[in-house]
Amino acid sequence: LMSQAVSTTRLQLQSSINDVSLVADDVQGLHQLFGRYMPLAPLPPIGSSGLRAGGAFIATDLVERRRPELVWCVGGLLPALWTAYALRRIGGGAVVLEVSSAQEAAEARALFASHGLTEWTTVQDSDAVREGDAGILGQDTEHANRIDFLIVDDRAARPGTDRLPSSLDLDSVLAKEAVIVVSMTEDPDVQQTLRNWLESESRLTVLASPRADVAVLEWDSGLLA
């Protein structure tokens, strides 16, 4: 009984330490975000995003450095919002947010409008797109080989579902040089997906990331030339 009590206490202590670390990371991330962008309306909950505030800042910092023309965000309303602020700050580009239902799409459009970011954003309902046989990640002639920056931040996306991009998806939609940001890389399923990407695609390179639970990759089609 004593051993069980000690083990339980140790787990609870570790959980508390992790929670404190998470809060500290969120505070730091929000401080960095507010240092560059001043939101005009209420923000989505931080916990709705696997990237959270710190990861959202990583994404916006990369957007400002890389200056992509088209950012595609799968499921992550919070990073899509901050990315739109980043694009408005640099004066170019657009972000497409892919969500899984018409209700989510309507809520996202209303949020972007309240922040004055409608001009920089497009919301796409992936279920509606599939009815037109366009597939995930906008696999149509409009977006083929045009996505410069891909953010995968969907807590519902898991391997084995048609919401999670495959290496074939990447090949069909990414521009010649693109950046990919993936959240929740501590999840075993996400780790396996990343391994699958890297094993099947020599065009992918892992870049340094300030956070262990956020992966940053670079796609370069020129490597096959």
Side-chain angles (χ1 to χ4, degrees):
L1 289 176
M2 179 63 72
S3 176
Q4 291 177 356
V6 170
S7 178
T8 300
T9 301
R10 182 183 296 112
L11 290 175
Q12 291 174 341
L13 179 60
Q14 185 60 51
S15 178
S16 297
I17 293 173
N18 292 340
D19 290 342
V20 170
S21 176
L22 193 63
V23 170
D25 182 72
D26 284 338
V27 171
Q28 175 177 281
L30 286 172
H31 178 74
Q32 291 175 303
L33 288 166
F34 289 152
R36 290 188 180 179
Y37 325 105
M38 184 52 64
L40 304 178
L43 297 168
I46 292 177
S48 65
S49 164
L51 287 176
R52 302 184 71 89
F57 180 75
I58 292 173
T60 59
D61 187 63
L62 285 166
V63 164
E64 291 210 13
R65 294 173 186 275
R66 297 293 184 119
R67 295 179 175 268
E69 293 185 7
L70 179 60
V71 178
W72 196 280
C73 189
V74 180
L77 180 56
L78 183 71
L81 179 68
W82 286 115
T83 298
Y85 271 113
L87 292 173
R88 187 174 72 174
R89 174 181 160 99
I90 63 178
V95 57
V96 177
L97 172 64
E98 181 180 335
V99 296
S100 59
S101 70
Q103 180 180 348
E104 288 181 344
E107 292 173 351
R109 292 188 185 102
L111 179 69
F112 291 140
S114 69
H115 283 263
L117 295 170
T118 300
E119 177 183 351
W120 309 94
T121 59
T122 299
V123 181
Q124 179 166 290
D125 175 2
S126 58
D127 288 339
V129 169
R130 280 192 204 89
E131 291 178 4
D133 296 325
I136 78 168
L137 293 180
Q139 292 179 39
D140 52 33
T141 55
E142 180 183 358
H143 299 106
N145 304 120
R146 284 193 52 224
I147 297 175
D148 305 294
F149 201 105
L150 172 63
I151 300 174
V152 182
D153 181 42
D154 190 348
R155 288 184 176 275
R158 288 291 183 272
T161 73
D162 54 3
R163 294 290 317 284
L164 196 67
S166 68
S167 58
L168 292 178
D169 295 326
L170 302 181
D171 185 48
S172 64
V173 298
L174 292 183
K176 180 179 179 180
E177 296 180 359
V179 173
I180 307 172
V181 175
V182 183
S183 70
M184 300 176 63
T185 56
E186 76 283 4
D187 185 295
D189 289 337
V190 176
Q191 291 175 1
Q192 183 58 54
T193 297
L194 292 175
R195 283 194 292 269
N196 292 342
W197 286 0
L198 293 169
E199 289 172 0
S200 61
E201 280 296 347
S202 60
R203 291 170 283 187
L204 279 173
T205 304
V206 178
L207 303 181
S209 172
R211 282 181 43 176
D213 61 342
V214 176
V216 180
L217 303 97
E218 186 169 39
W219 171 275
D220 187 356
S221 295
L223 291 175
L224 294 183

